[in-house]
Coordinates of all heavy atoms in Angstrom, one line a residue:
A1 N -144.3 74.2 -80.6 CA -144.2 74.3 -79.1 C -142.9 75.0 -78.8 O -143.0 75.9 -77.9 CB -144.2 72.9 -78.5
A2 N -141.8 74.8 -79.6 CA -140.6 75.5 -79.2 C -140.7 77.0 -79.6 O -140.4 77.9 -78.7 CB -139.5 74.9 -80.0
I3 N -141.4 77.3 -80.6 CA -141.5 78.7 -81.0 C -142.5 79.4 -80.1 O -142.2 80.6 -79.6 CB -142.0 78.8 -82.5 CG1 -140.8 78.4 -83.4 CG2 -142.5 80.2 -82.9 CD1 -141.2 78.2 -84.9
D4 N -143.6 78.7 -79.8 CA -144.6 79.3 -78.9 C -144.0 79.6 -77.5 O -144.4 80.6 -76.9 CB -145.8 78.4 -78.7 CG -146.6 78.4 -80.0 OD1 -146.5 79.2 -80.9 OD2 -147.5 77.4 -80.1
Y5 N -143.2 78.7 -77.1 CA -142.5 78.9 -75.8 C -141.5 80.0 -75.7 O -141.2 80.6 -74.8 CB -141.9 77.7 -75.3 CG -141.6 77.5 -73.8 CD1 -142.5 77.0 -72.9 CD2 -140.4 78.0 -73.3 CE1 -142.4 76.9 -71.6 CE2 -140.2 78.0 -71.9 CZ -141.1 77.5 -71.1 OH -140.9 77.5 -69.7
G6 N -140.9 80.4 -76.9 CA -139.9 81.4 -77.1 C -138.5 81.0 -76.8 O -137.7 81.9 -76.4
V7 N -138.2 79.7 -76.9 CA -136.8 79.3 -76.7 C -135.9 80.0 -77.8 O -136.3 80.1 -78.9 CB -136.7 77.8 -76.7 CG1 -137.4 77.2 -75.5 CG2 -137.1 77.2 -78.0
K8 N -134.7 80.2 -77.4 CA -133.7 80.7 -78.4 C -132.9 79.6 -79.0 O -132.2 79.9 -80.1 CB -132.7 81.7 -77.6 CG -133.5 82.9 -76.9 CD -134.2 83.7 -77.9 CE -134.9 84.8 -77.2 NZ -135.7 85.6 -78.1
V9 N -132.9 78.4 -78.4 CA -132.1 77.3 -79.0 C -133.0 76.0 -78.9 O -133.6 75.8 -77.9 CB -130.8 77.0 -78.2 CG1 -130.1 75.8 -78.8 CG2 -129.9 78.2 -78.3
S10 N -133.1 75.3 -80.0 CA -133.7 74.1 -80.0 C -132.7 73.0 -80.6 O -131.5 73.2 -80.5 CB -135.0 74.1 -80.9 OG -135.7 72.8 -80.7
G11 N -133.2 72.0 -81.3 CA -132.2 71.1 -81.9 C -132.7 69.7 -82.0 O -134.0 69.5 -82.2
C12 N -131.9 68.8 -81.9 CA -132.3 67.3 -82.0 C -131.6 66.5 -80.9 O -130.4 66.9 -80.6 CB -132.2 66.8 -83.4 SG -130.5 66.8 -84.0
S13 N -132.2 65.4 -80.6 CA -131.5 64.4 -79.6 C -131.7 63.1 -80.1 O -132.7 62.7 -80.8 CB -132.2 64.6 -78.2 OG -132.3 65.8 -77.8
V14 N -130.6 62.2 -79.9 CA -130.7 60.8 -80.2 C -130.6 60.1 -78.8 O -129.8 60.4 -78.0 CB -129.6 60.2 -81.0 CG1 -129.8 58.8 -81.4 CG2 -129.6 61.1 -82.4
H15 N -131.6 59.2 -78.5 CA -131.7 58.6 -77.2 C -132.0 57.1 -77.4 O -132.6 56.7 -78.4 CB -132.6 59.3 -76.4 CG -134.1 59.1 -76.8 ND1 -134.9 58.2 -76.5 CD2 -134.8 59.9 -77.7 CE1 -136.1 58.2 -77.1 NE2 -136.1 59.3 -77.8
F16 N -131.7 56.3 -76.3 CA -132.1 55.0 -76.3 C -133.6 54.9 -76.0 O -134.1 55.8 -75.2 CB -131.4 54.2 -75.2 CG -130.0 53.7 -75.7 CD1 -128.8 54.4 -75.2 CD2 -129.7 52.7 -76.5 CE1 -127.6 54.1 -75.5 CE2 -128.5 52.3 -77.0 CZ -127.5 53.0 -76.5
V17 N -134.3 53.9 -76.6 CA -135.7 53.8 -76.4 C -136.0 53.0 -75.1 O -135.4 51.9 -74.9 CB -136.3 53.0 -77.6 CG1 -137.8 52.7 -77.3 CG2 -136.1 53.8 -78.9
T18 N -136.9 53.6 -74.3 CA -137.3 52.9 -73.1 C -138.8 52.8 -73.1 O -139.5 53.2 -74.0 CB -136.8 53.5 -71.7 OG1 -137.3 54.9 -71.9 CG2 -135.4 53.6 -71.8
E19 N -139.4 52.2 -72.0 CA -140.8 52.2 -71.9 C -141.5 53.5 -71.9 O -142.5 53.7 -72.5 CB -141.2 51.4 -70.7 CG -140.9 49.9 -70.6 CD -141.8 49.0 -71.4 OE1 -142.9 49.5 -71.8 OE2 -141.5 47.8 -71.4
E20 N -140.8 54.5 -71.4 CA -141.3 55.9 -71.2 C -141.0 56.6 -72.5 O -139.8 56.7 -73.0 CB -140.8 56.5 -70.0 CG -141.4 57.9 -69.8 CD -141.0 58.6 -68.5 OE1 -140.2 57.9 -67.7 OE2 -141.2 59.7 -68.3
I21 N -141.9 57.3 -73.1 CA -141.7 58.0 -74.4 C -140.6 59.1 -74.2 O -140.7 59.9 -73.3 CB -142.9 58.5 -74.9 CG1 -144.0 57.4 -75.2 CG2 -142.8 59.3 -76.2 CD1 -145.3 58.0 -75.6
D22 N -139.7 59.0 -75.1 CA -138.6 60.1 -75.2 C -137.9 60.3 -74.0 O -137.4 61.4 -73.7 CB -139.2 61.5 -75.6 CG -139.9 61.4 -77.0 OD1 -139.5 60.6 -77.8 OD2 -140.8 62.2 -77.1
A23 N -137.7 59.3 -73.1 CA -137.1 59.4 -71.8 C -135.9 58.5 -71.5 O -135.4 58.5 -70.5 CB -138.1 59.1 -70.7
G24 N -135.4 57.8 -72.6 CA -134.3 56.9 -72.4 C -132.9 57.8 -72.4 O -132.9 59.0 -72.7
P25 N -131.8 57.1 -72.0 CA -130.5 57.8 -71.9 C -130.2 58.6 -73.3 O -130.3 57.9 -74.3 CB -129.6 56.7 -71.6 CG -130.4 55.7 -70.9 CD -131.7 55.8 -71.5
I26 N -129.7 59.7 -73.2 CA -129.4 60.5 -74.3 C -128.0 60.2 -74.8 O -127.1 60.3 -74.0 CB -129.6 62.1 -74.0 CG1 -131.1 62.3 -73.7 CG2 -129.1 62.9 -75.2 CD1 -131.2 63.7 -73.1
I27 N -127.8 59.9 -76.0 CA -126.6 59.6 -76.6 C -125.9 60.8 -77.0 O -124.7 61.1 -76.8 CB -126.7 58.6 -77.8 CG1 -127.3 57.3 -77.4 CG2 -125.4 58.3 -78.4 CD1 -127.8 56.4 -78.5
L28 N -126.5 61.7 -77.8 CA -126.0 63.0 -78.2 C -127.1 64.0 -78.6 O -128.2 63.5 -78.8 CB -125.1 62.8 -79.4 CG -125.6 62.2 -80.7 CD1 -126.3 63.2 -81.6 CD2 -124.5 61.4 -81.5
Q29 N -126.8 65.2 -78.5 CA -127.7 66.3 -78.9 C -126.9 67.3 -79.7 O -125.7 67.5 -79.6 CB -128.2 67.0 -77.6 CG -129.0 66.1 -76.8 CD -129.5 66.8 -75.5 OE1 -128.7 67.2 -74.8 NE2 -130.9 66.8 -75.3
M30 N -127.6 67.9 -80.7 CA -127.1 69.0 -81.5 C -128.0 70.2 -81.4 O -129.3 70.1 -81.7 CB -127.1 68.5 -83.0 CG -125.9 67.4 -83.1 SD -125.7 67.1 -84.9 CE -124.3 65.8 -84.7
P31 N -127.5 71.4 -81.0 CA -128.3 72.6 -80.9 C -128.4 73.3 -82.2 O -127.6 73.3 -83.0 CB -127.5 73.4 -79.8 CG -126.1 73.0 -80.2 CD -126.1 71.5 -80.5
V32 N -129.6 73.9 -82.4 CA -129.9 74.7 -83.5 C -130.5 76.0 -83.0 O -131.5 76.0 -82.2 CB -130.8 74.1 -84.5 CG1 -131.1 75.0 -85.7 CG2 -130.2 72.8 -85.0
D33 N -130.0 77.2 -83.4 CA -130.6 78.5 -83.0 C -132.0 78.6 -83.5 O -132.3 78.3 -84.7 CB -129.8 79.6 -83.4 CG -128.4 79.8 -82.7 OD1 -128.4 79.3 -81.5 OD2 -127.4 80.4 -83.2
V34 N -133.0 79.2 -82.7 CA -134.3 79.5 -83.2 C -134.2 81.0 -83.6 O -134.0 81.8 -82.7 CB -135.4 79.3 -82.1 CG1 -136.7 79.6 -82.6 CG2 -135.3 77.9 -81.6
L35 N -134.5 81.2 -84.9 CA -134.4 82.7 -85.3 C -135.8 83.4 -85.1 O -136.8 82.7 -85.1 CB -134.0 82.7 -86.8 CG -132.8 81.8 -87.2 CD1 -132.6 81.9 -88.7 CD2 -131.6 82.4 -86.4
E36 N -135.7 84.7 -85.0 CA -136.9 85.5 -84.9 C -137.9 85.3 -86.0 O -139.1 85.3 -85.8 CB -136.5 87.0 -84.8 CG -135.8 87.3 -83.5 CD -136.5 87.0 -82.2 OE1 -137.8 87.1 -82.2 OE2 -135.9 86.7 -81.2
R37 N -137.5 85.0 -87.2 CA -138.3 85.0 -88.3 C -138.7 83.6 -88.5 O -139.5 83.1 -89.5 CB -137.6 85.4 -89.6 CG -136.4 84.6 -90.0 CD -135.7 85.1 -91.3 NE -134.6 84.3 -91.6 CZ -133.4 84.4 -91.3 NH1 -133.1 85.5 -90.5 NH2 -132.3 83.7 -91.7
D38 N -138.4 82.5 -87.7 CA -138.7 81.1 -87.9 C -140.1 80.9 -87.8 O -140.9 81.4 -87.0 CB -138.0 80.3 -86.8 CG -136.6 79.7 -87.4 OD1 -136.6 79.4 -88.6 OD2 -135.7 79.5 -86.6
T39 N -140.6 80.0 -88.7 CA -141.9 79.3 -88.6 C -141.7 77.9 -88.2 O -140.5 77.4 -88.3 CB -142.7 79.4 -90.0 OG1 -141.9 78.6 -90.9 CG2 -142.8 80.8 -90.5
P40 N -142.7 77.2 -87.8 CA -142.5 75.7 -87.5 C -141.8 75.0 -88.7 O -140.9 74.1 -88.5 CB -143.8 75.2 -87.1 CG -144.6 76.4 -86.6 CD -144.0 77.6 -87.4
E41 N -142.2 75.3 -89.8 CA -141.7 74.7 -91.1 C -140.3 75.1 -91.3 O -139.5 74.2 -91.7 CB -142.5 75.1 -92.4 CG -143.9 74.5 -92.3 CD -145.0 75.4 -91.5 OE1 -144.5 76.5 -90.9 OE2 -146.1 74.9 -91.2
T42 N -139.8 76.3 -91.1 CA -138.5 76.7 -91.4 C -137.6 76.0 -90.4 O -136.4 75.6 -90.6 CB -138.2 78.2 -91.5 OG1 -138.6 78.8 -90.3 CG2 -139.0 78.7 -92.7
L43 N -138.0 76.0 -89.1 CA -137.3 75.4 -88.0 C -137.1 73.9 -88.3 O -136.0 73.3 -88.1 CB -137.9 75.8 -86.7 CG -137.1 75.3 -85.5 CD1 -135.8 75.8 -85.4 CD2 -137.9 75.7 -84.1
Q44 N -138.2 73.3 -88.6 CA -138.2 71.9 -88.9 C -137.1 71.6 -90.0 O -136.3 70.6 -89.9 CB -139.5 71.3 -89.4 CG -139.5 69.9 -89.6 CD -141.0 69.4 -90.2 OE1 -141.4 70.0 -91.1 NE2 -141.5 68.5 -89.5
T45 N -137.2 72.4 -91.0 CA -136.2 72.1 -92.1 C -134.7 72.2 -91.7 O -133.8 71.4 -92.1 CB -136.4 73.1 -93.4 OG1 -137.8 72.9 -93.8 CG2 -135.4 72.9 -94.4
R46 N -134.4 73.3 -90.9 CA -133.0 73.4 -90.4 C -132.6 72.4 -89.4 O -131.5 71.9 -89.5 CB -132.8 74.9 -89.9 CG -132.8 75.9 -91.1 CD -132.4 77.2 -90.5 NE -133.4 77.8 -89.6 CZ -133.0 78.0 -88.3 NH1 -131.9 77.6 -87.9 NH2 -134.0 78.5 -87.4

């Protein structure tokens, strides 16, 4: 989805779990550049 949308930056987030999926308070986030040559697999690995 990130590659299809064309974002330049993705990454990961750690958040508290609430009743709503992926919607709890965010504790921290780490950005990762999305490269032009990225596939879902290579982006996932990085």
Side-chain angles (χ1 to χ4, degrees):
I3 290 172
D4 289 346
Y5 199 89
V7 297
K8 302 301 182 185
V9 178
S10 188
C12 60
S13 307
V14 183
H15 64 94
F16 281 102
V17 176
T18 59
E19 295 276 358
E20 187 178 352
I21 298 173
D22 298 331
I26 296 169
I27 300 168
L28 59 86
Q29 295 180 299
M30 292 188 175
V32 177
D33 288 338
V34 180
L35 308 178
E36 293 297 331
R37 65 177 181 273
D38 264 328
T39 64
E41 290 79 9
T42 61
L43 183 58
Q44 180 183 54
T45 298
R46 288 190 296 109

